[in-house]
Amino acid sequence: MSADARSGLAVPSAPGGGHPAPGSGSGTGVDIGIGTGLGGGPGAGPGTSAEPARSAMAEGSAGHAQARGSARPRAMLDTLRATLAAAAPEWWPVWLGLALLFLPTFVSLFSGAWIGEEQGHGPMIFGLALWLIYRKWPEVRALGPAASSAAGWSVLACGLLLHLLGRTQHILMFEIGAIVLTLAAVVLVKRGAAALRVLWFPFFFMLFMVPLPSEFVAAVTMPMKMAVSWATEHLLFAAGYPVARSGVILQIGQYQLLVADACAGLQTLLTLEALGLFYLNLMRHPSAFRNVGLALLIVPISFSANVIRVIVLTLVTYYLGDAAGQGFLHGFAGMVLFLTALALILAVDSGLQWLARRRGGVRGEGP
């Protein structure tokens, strides 16, 4: 039995392969127009087609529609350029300093932790957080003249010290946490505490990309793996498959599969929780019942999505062999995890919306 660190399942090594099925297709088209003799130049007569004139008019209309469709992205790009040009004299030293400070960190992350499955959500979290800051920045500018906060320099010193410790001692939690702390300090120094209050959610959202201590993750992950293995065994057995379980090892047919941390770990739960909170932030539901309920139900949603992922990988291995289970289809099962979680989040949110409306209707029926 061999284990693959990138996979959520370990299976006995066996050869496997597949052959792509080639395919081809071709088609031709003929455009025939019968004219009515409309034309104003030499050679126009009863046999001249009016279709070219109509085609030219249609092409002109399509060109105008395309120009209108491309005008909006061009206007947004021009606005972004103007905003960056106006902010460049004030912000370019800050951008340059942040680039010099954190560029080695990002190089290490994109060549190490962020290409693995356990921390692979980091770039997505960071990119979405930056987009949220960009989306909220007009509200920051609307606050008026910047009022620098003296506490920002203390926070900046803490962030730089944390970065130094994380970089020199190879502590990933400190190194990534320093990014969040330093960016928050920059906002405090440049725009004040009021701006940080406006941007509180993007910075809170960034905390989900900070890895937790390995001891804590190991202590929490083992019960989660046991629960996912137990649920997978019972569901497949109820469906008639020859499956058995010993701890976190599933036996189906001639294959033994190990449910690894990546298939039922705490990081998956945190990633799905982050996506759920991001969804709530975008929707801006006025109902506190709906917001709190969905945030709490992310935990069972994450568990259900993990069970579905392990079931998919188990069935892929059972029907197609270990090569398919450890190959491309394993990565596809990761997509199944997040698509399943997204579908469950939307379904639960719709149910909570229905309950909130019903509660509001019942309260409105009083005397």
Side-chain angles (χ1 to χ4, degrees), residues 2-367:
S2 62
D4 188 349
R6 298 169 301 171
S7 68
L9 299 173
V11 298
S13 300
H19 299 280
S24 61
S26 62
T28 59
V30 179
D31 188 10
I32 301 176
I34 301 177
T36 57
L38 298 178
T48 304
S49 173
E51 192 66 26
R54 288 195 296 269
S55 299
M57 293 174 62
E59 291 175 1
S61 301
H64 288 302
Q66 184 177 3
R68 287 194 300 269
S70 61
R72 181 175 299 175
R74 190 180 299 115
M76 295 176 61
L77 184 59
D78 292 341
T79 303
L80 179 60
R81 287 175 179 173
T83 303
L84 293 177
E90 179 186 0
W91 284 93
W92 75 262
V94 177
W95 295 334
L96 180 60
L98 292 175
L100 293 175
L101 182 64
F102 292 120
L103 185 59
T105 296
F106 282 110
V107 171
S108 300
L109 289 173
F110 278 106
S111 60
W114 279 1
I115 62 175
E117 191 166 1
E118 290 188 1
Q119 298 295 328
H121 61 281
M124 176 187 64
I125 298 294
F126 189 64
L128 289 176
L130 293 180
W131 178 78
L132 288 172
I133 291 175
Y134 169 76
R135 187 167 174 258
K136 284 281 189 178
W137 198 253
E139 297 182 30
V140 174
R141 298 183 63 186
L143 294 175
S148 177
S149 174
W153 296 105
S154 301
V155 177
L156 180 61
C158 293
L160 295 178
L161 179 61
L162 197 65
H163 176 72
L164 179 63
L165 289 174
R167 191 70 183 164
T168 57
Q169 304 302 315
H170 304 287
I171 304 176
L172 191 61
M173 181 176 64
F174 287 179
E175 197 169 358
I176 297 180
I179 298 174
V180 183
L181 202 59
T182 304
L183 292 179
V186 168
V187 173
L188 282 172
V189 171
K190 297 292 292 181
R191 304 297 301 186
L196 189 60
R197 283 193 292 269
V198 173
L199 300 175
W200 74 271
F201 182 79
F203 284 102
F204 169 75
F205 189 68
M206 281 190 215
L207 295 178
F208 285 94
M209 71 179 184
V210 180
L212 297 172
S214 57
E215 294 81 6
F216 175 76
V217 172
V220 177
T221 297
M222 181 53 69
M224 295 176 64
K225 291 196 301 180
M226 292 289 293
V228 169
S229 304
W230 180 87
T232 302
E233 176 203 13
H234 282 74
L235 289 175
L236 289 178
F237 184 79
Y241 287 95
V243 61
R245 179 180 63 91
S246 175
V248 294
I249 298 177
L250 294 172
Q251 175 83 36
I252 182 167
Q254 72 271 32
Y255 298 105
Q256 280 189 338
L257 306 103
L258 171 67
V259 179
D261 294 351
C263 276
L266 182 62
Q267 293 297 337
T268 303
L269 171 62
L270 293 177
T271 302
L272 295 178
E273 184 71 32
L275 293 178
L277 294 177
F278 179 80
Y279 171 79
L280 289 175
N281 184 260
L282 288 183
M283 293 298 101
R284 298 283 184 179
H285 298 316
S287 171
F289 167 78
R290 188 174 173 184
N291 291 331
V292 175
L294 185 59
L296 294 177
L297 289 174
I298 291 293
V299 176
I301 287 174
S302 171
F303 178 80
S304 302
N306 274 317
V307 171
I308 293 174
R309 180 190 188 184
V310 174
I311 288 176
V312 169
L313 285 175
T314 303
L315 293 180
V316 165
T317 303
Y318 179 68
Y319 285 109
L320 302 179
D322 62 321
Q326 300 294 329
F328 167 76
L329 291 179
H330 186 276
F332 178 74
M335 296 175 58
V336 170
L337 167 71
F338 288 102
L339 291 177
T340 303
L342 179 61
L344 290 174
I345 288 174
L346 294 176
V348 170
D349 185 41
S350 299
L352 291 175
Q353 181 182 8
W354 178 79
L355 287 176
R357 288 178 178 174
R358 184 170 182 178
R359 289 178 59 191
V362 169
R363 290 177 181 177
E365 291 175 0

